[in-house]
Amino acid sequence: MGVNRVCIVTDQVVGQLPGMSALLNSVNHENITYSVYDSVRTEPTDTSFMDVIRFAKEGQFDAFVAFGGGSVIDSCKAANLYSSNVNADFFDYVDAPIGRGMNVTHTLKPLIAIPTTAGTGSETTGLAVFDYEANAAKTVIRSRAITPLIGIIDPFNVMSMPTSVATYTGFDVLCHALESYTTVPYNERRPRPLNPRDRPTYQGSNPVSDVWARHALNIAAKYFRRAVKDNDDTEARSQMQLASCFAGIGFGCAGVHLCHALSYPISGKVKTFRPKDYQVDYPLVPHGLSVVITAPAVFHFTSSACPDRHLEAAQILGADTTNVRREDAGRVLSDTLRQFMYDLGIEDGLEALGYTTADIPALVQRTVPQVRRYRSVVLSTVIPEFRYAIMY
Amino acid sequence: MGVNRVCIVTDQVVGQLPGMSALLNSVNHENITYSVYDSVRTEPTDTSFMDVIRFAKEGQFDAFVAFGGGSVIDSCKAANLYSSNVNADFFDYVDAPIGRGMNVTHTLKPLIAIPTTAGTGSETTGLAVFDYEANAAKTVIRSRAITPLIGIIDPFNVMSMPTSVATYTGFDVLCHALESYTTVPYNERRPRPLNPRDRPTYQGSNPVSDVWARHALNIAAKYFRRAVKDNDDTEARSQMQLASCFAGIGFGCAGVHLCHALSYPISGKVKTFRPKDYQVDYPLVPHGLSVVITAPAVFHFTSSACPDRHLEAAQILGADTTNVRREDAGRVLSDTLRQFMYDLGIEDGLEALGYTTADIPALVQRTVPQVRRYRSVVLSTVIPEFRYAIMY
């Protein structure tokens, strides 16, 4: 690529992995100068984004490499975006209504993403998610311009994931696939754009995203439990890493819906919850956990919109759907998900994350802007979802 | 795109379709100047490529639109490639040993491909195939640089395909999917490149191409017969057009093998065969026909390399594979293909295309360079394939 000076972004945990040494050896071998930023925050915030952006601006880099999970890759995307246009205000590219949602018109530097988890699919998408602290809710920077140029999907980088990381990130994959498969189809969204090129990045489910969603579900059905139960199961972990990437290609153009919309305040308003195996000194609801915790309630609710797809998903995930009535599709898919969650020892509902019924109004209030964005539900439907989600 | 002067490439048959009027209206609406080249030859030759290249050089265009089948799209790719670098010799970019197989290092103009058949997948690939008249065999220009920037897959453009065009192009889809699914896996090719970036465009079957190949087979199993038997079956023709595109994405990175290698002399050395429904005044073996005619023999032969994949393909295409032994995988897949060919009224073996046993040595001689390229078989295997293919 003719690169001379590269910014390597990682965090203090994955920065110690053997893959990091391989990366540095490779860069040294090509006589490329580099600086390492290893202070990415797990579940990044606007403050932590600002810090890596400052580092990137000072370094005057001509390429970026992200080595880590979704938090690292997303932080690296932000660093690339803002350091390539020093005149931009941070909120210019943050989604409305929090930011201005402006189109990216400047040219970014090449970004190579090397995922060390098997969940976000961030190596395939034009999204960078962060907690906006003032609102205690996640929001997003969304532009095809920040999509990594290359993703390097190397199974050796996910062999070291602790059990709980493999679990939560795996549920993120499952929800990416299920949500993108059941979201509003691209040709049923209203109002229709006058020109197909004006479709948003998240254009709704479509014949291409459907292929990836179904394929990711098939992989997860076969390998998710194995990848969690045996840290040394190379085949299962490789396959889940592919599923993460494939589901990312799918939802990256189709979009996600309620599980993700509801997850943003669940993680943003965290009080005291600290997940096992995460080496952080602050309360944290890992993204995959905040997403899947409402999933049984969500798919029970959404099934009436496309029961056949809910039934097909349940069947792929192992449910016996012979003689199941279409009106029971949501129940069957929810039960199948609950079984996965139970088998893999996921926390038991919102209560286990430290929330009570009294928190619902605040969670709802911070979900509504997300839901508007996804256009798939209206306010009246959000409240019951949280109620159900208190106990999945 | 900021385009001012566009070259529209088509042929005299599809140039009369309603889609062409829509295209011209659209270009006029944007006040873009254009010239139409409508003399593309079905199954193009080096002479016909030269003609469209001359047109493109004279026109000084800043963008290209191809409206047609594989012959049109491939001709447009050649026009774009050579008119963007007027100093190049025609053989610079033609595959070795006929050409020099040089890498494309100059920047091409944007090319938008609008397929009017459902077969080649040319809108997704970096290939332009032509008959090299001096050798009476097909050869190819191969570079990611000539891949269309955008493909517009509009089902209305394939509703007018005559029955035989739908048949032959559909078999091309089937073979793209079957060959790319059964070609040597990317991680078993030898010698291994020192760096993954040095893998050739056709890198062998891989986890991504496998998804597209299987998906295309699933669509073909369900819709191919319907798309041929009823010209007005919009759903079936739409789906076969998607299958063509999807199989193209797959084989465009995995590659194809024997059916395609054997097909090049079969079409290149055509004597008197004239297919039904093709409005041409010269003998011609349509590409899909020249490919599928050896397919039963080919997959019977290749099955021992990966019997499970041959069995899976047969099952997707409708065969009952319960209790079938792995050593019978090739026979079962071949029988399944023969049934498709019989049902859709394909010509009965090489004899029906005008060849006899006496032609085999010449066909073999012109296949060997292709086969070397695909690295999947050696000379000794080519001769029996043609013997079997005399009667499928």
Side-chain angles (χ1 to χ4, degrees):
Chain A
M1 294 180 184
V3 163
N4 295 310
R5 186 160 165 69
V6 66
C7 179
I8 298 176
V9 176
T10 187
D11 70 30
Q12 302 200 342
V13 177
V14 297
Q16 309 302 318
L17 296 179
M20 185 69 182
S21 316
L23 168 59
L24 297 181
N25 286 342
S26 171
V27 172
N28 281 323
H29 183 263
E30 302 286 334
N31 289 319
I32 294 171
T33 313
Y34 65 85
S35 294
V36 176
Y37 179 91
D38 65 357
S39 307
V40 165
R41 180 189 160 99
T42 305
E43 309 297 332
T45 63
D46 44 332
T47 308
S48 81
F49 266 16
M50 301 284 193
D51 193 58
V52 65
I53 291 166
R54 179 196 48 73
F55 181 88
K57 282 181 175 172
E58 287 170 10
Q60 304 266 325
F61 302 104
D62 51 13
F64 290 81
V65 177
F67 182 81
S71 299
V72 166
I73 300 173
D74 286 6
S75 298
C76 192
K77 290 172 179 173
N80 188 10
L81 173 64
Y82 291 99
S83 65
S84 306
N85 180 9
V86 292
N87 297 320
D89 178 77
F90 180 73
F91 291 95
D92 283 354
Y93 303 123
V94 174
D95 247 22
I98 289 173
R100 297 182 195 95
M102 286 166 56
N103 287 329
V104 177
T105 54
H106 65 281
T107 304
L108 275 67
K109 309 294 185 198
L111 190 165
I112 299 177
I114 310 176
T116 61
T117 62
T120 68
S122 179
E123 69 278 12
T124 70
T125 71
L127 301 171
V129 182
F130 65 99
D131 280 304
Y132 179 50
E133 290 158 308
N135 282 21
K138 286 202 188 239
T139 186
V140 68
I141 297 164
R142 183 195 313 257
S143 166
R144 288 191 183 94
I146 62 174
T147 309
L149 185 67
I150 298 178
I152 301 181
I153 316 294
D154 184 339
F156 289 105
N157 290 328
V158 293
M159 293 313 293
S160 52
M161 272 193 298
T163 305
S164 72
V165 178
T167 307
Y168 297 143
T169 55
F171 276 116
D172 196 20
V173 175
L174 256 189
C175 288
H176 286 157
L178 289 170
E179 288 174 69
S180 60
Y181 197 53
T182 56
T183 194
V184 180
Y186 75 107
N187 54 356
E188 291 179 16
R189 289 173 63 112
R190 297 292 181 277
R192 285 188 166 165
L194 290 174
N195 189 310
R197 74 179 166 208
D198 296 327
R199 285 188 194 130
T201 317
Y202 279 6
Q203 64 181 268
S205 66
N206 58 73
V208 172
S209 68
D210 287 348
V211 172
W212 292 118
R214 272 197 303 259
H215 188 59
L217 288 177
N218 271 298
I219 296 178
K222 194 163 173 190
Y223 294 106
F224 186 17
R225 287 183 176 87
R226 275 176 52 185
V228 169
K229 302 233 166 201
D230 179 1
N231 289 13
D232 297 325
D233 189 332
T234 315
E235 184 190 9
R237 289 213 162 183
S238 302
Q239 288 291 331
M240 282 304 290
Q241 197 184 19
L242 279 177
S244 162
C245 175
F246 293 166
I249 302 173
F251 92 79
C253 69
V256 282
H257 59 71
L258 266 177
C259 302
H260 273 75
L262 296 166
S263 82
Y264 288 171
I266 292 173
S267 52
K269 291 189 69 65
V270 59
K271 299 173 189 174
T272 57
F273 184 76
R274 282 169 193 255
K276 218 170 37 174
D277 299 341
Y278 279 69
Q279 301 172 37
V280 291
D281 54 7
Y282 44 88
L284 169 77
V285 183
H287 175 64
L289 175 57
S290 70
V291 167
V292 76
I293 205 81
T294 62
V298 164
F299 294 110
H300 191 273
F301 168 73
T302 54
S303 67
S304 63
C306 48
D308 293 339
R309 287 188 168 226
H310 286 69
L311 266 185
E312 188 188 354
Q315 190 196 6
I316 294 174
L317 292 177
D320 179 2
T321 58
T322 333
N323 302 325
V324 173
R325 296 176 310 172
R326 295 172 84 238
E327 49 267 46
D328 291 329
R331 184 185 54 71
V332 173
L333 178 54
S334 297
D335 285 349
T336 310
L337 275 174
R338 271 190 204 95
Q339 191 65 49
F340 261 97
M341 294 160 83
Y342 178 81
D343 291 351
L344 299 180
I346 277 267
E347 281 71 10
D348 193 358
L350 280 176
E351 271 186 343
L353 309 185
Y355 292 107
T356 66
T357 307
D359 295 309
I360 290 184
L363 291 170
V364 169
Q365 191 198 340
R366 281 172 174 79
T367 299
V368 176
Q370 308 292 342
V371 172
R372 270 213 204 94
R373 185 150 55 71
Y374 294 120
R375 297 187 192 186
S376 50
V377 284
V378 291
L379 174 59
S380 61
T381 69
V382 177
I383 297 169
E385 295 322 300
F386 275 115
R387 292 235 172 90
Y388 295 139
I390 287 287
M391 287 297 293
Y392 67 70
Chain B
M1 293 180 182
V3 162
N4 294 310
R5 187 159 164 70
V6 66
C7 179
I8 297 176
V9 175
T10 187
D11 70 29
Q12 301 199 343
V13 177
V14 296
Q16 307 303 318
L17 296 179
M20 185 69 181
S21 315
L23 167 58
L24 297 182
N25 285 342
S26 171
V27 173
N28 281 324
H29 182 264
E30 301 287 335
N31 289 318
I32 294 171
T33 312
Y34 64 86
S35 294
V36 176
Y37 179 91
D38 65 357
S39 307
V40 165
R41 180 188 160 99
T42 304
E43 309 297 332
T45 64
D46 44 333
T47 308
S48 81
F49 266 16
M50 301 283 195
D51 193 58
V52 66
I53 290 166
R54 179 195 49 71
F55 182 88
K57 282 182 174 171
E58 286 172 6
Q60 305 267 325
F61 301 103
D62 51 13
F64 290 82
V65 177
F67 181 82
S71 298
V72 166
I73 299 173
D74 286 7
S75 298
C76 191
K77 290 172 178 173
N80 188 9
L81 174 64
Y82 291 98
S83 65
S84 307
N85 179 8
V86 292
N87 297 320
D89 179 77
F90 181 72
F91 291 96
D92 283 353
Y93 302 124
V94 174
D95 248 22
I98 290 174
R100 297 181 195 95
M102 287 166 57
N103 286 330
V104 177
T105 54
H106 65 281
T107 303
L108 276 67
K109 309 296 186 197
L111 189 165
I112 299 176
I114 309 175
T116 60
T117 62
T120 68
S122 179
E123 69 279 10
T124 70
T125 72
L127 302 170
V129 181
F130 65 97
D131 279 305
Y132 178 50
E133 290 157 309
N135 281 20
K138 285 201 191 243
T139 186
V140 70
I141 297 164
R142 183 194 314 256
S143 167
R144 289 191 183 93
I146 62 173
T147 310
L149 184 68
I150 297 177
I152 300 181
I153 316 295
D154 184 339
F156 289 105
N157 291 327
V158 292
M159 294 311 295
S160 51
M161 274 194 297
T163 304
S164 72
V165 178
T167 307
Y168 297 143
T169 56
F171 276 116
D172 196 21
V173 175
L174 255 189
C175 288
H176 286 158
L178 289 170
E179 288 175 66
S180 60
Y181 197 53
T182 56
T183 193
V184 181
Y186 75 105
N187 55 358
E188 291 178 17
R189 290 171 63 111
R190 297 290 182 275
R192 284 188 169 167
L194 291 173
N195 188 312
R197 72 178 165 210
D198 296 328
R199 286 187 193 130
T201 317
Y202 278 6
Q203 63 181 269
S205 66
N206 59 72
V208 172
S209 68
D210 288 348
V211 172
W212 292 119
R214 272 197 305 261
H215 188 58
L217 288 177
N218 271 298
I219 296 178
K222 194 164 173 190
Y223 295 106
F224 185 16
R225 287 185 175 87
R226 274 176 52 186
V228 169
K229 302 233 166 201
D230 178 2
N231 290 13
D232 296 325
D233 188 332
T234 315
E235 185 190 9
R237 290 214 160 181
S238 303
Q239 287 292 329
M240 283 304 291
Q241 197 184 21
L242 279 176
S244 163
C245 175
F246 292 166
I249 302 173
F251 91 81
C253 71
V256 282
H257 58 72
L258 267 178
C259 302
H260 273 75
L262 297 166
S263 81
Y264 288 171
I266 292 174
S267 52
K269 290 188 71 64
V270 59
K271 299 175 189 173
T272 55
F273 184 76
R274 283 169 192 254
K276 218 171 35 176
D277 297 339
Y278 279 70
Q279 301 173 34
V280 292
D281 53 8
Y282 44 88
L284 168 77
V285 183
H287 175 65
L289 175 57
S290 70
V291 167
V292 77
I293 204 83
T294 63
V298 164
F299 294 110
H300 192 272
F301 167 71
T302 55
S303 68
S304 62
C306 49
D308 293 338
R309 287 188 169 228
H310 286 70
L311 267 184
E312 189 189 352
Q315 190 196 7
I316 293 175
L317 292 177
D320 179 1
T321 58
T322 331
N323 302 325
V324 172
R325 298 174 310 170
R326 293 172 84 240
E327 50 268 45
D328 291 330
R331 184 186 53 71
V332 172
L333 178 54
S334 297
D335 286 349
T336 309
L337 276 174
R338 270 189 205 95
Q339 190 65 49
F340 260 98
M341 294 160 82
Y342 178 81
D343 291 350
L344 299 180
I346 278 267
E347 280 70 11
D348 194 359
L350 280 176
E351 272 187 342
L353 309 185
Y355 292 106
T356 68
T357 309
D359 295 309
I360 291 183
L363 290 171
V364 169
Q365 191 197 339
R366 283 174 172 76
T367 299
V368 176
Q370 307 293 342
V371 173
R372 270 213 204 96
R373 185 149 55 71
Y374 295 118
R375 298 185 191 186
S376 52
V377 285
V378 291
L379 175 59
S380 61
T381 69
V382 177
I383 296 169
E385 295 322 301
F386 275 116
R387 292 236 172 89
Y388 295 138
I390 287 288
M391 287 298 293
Y392 68 71

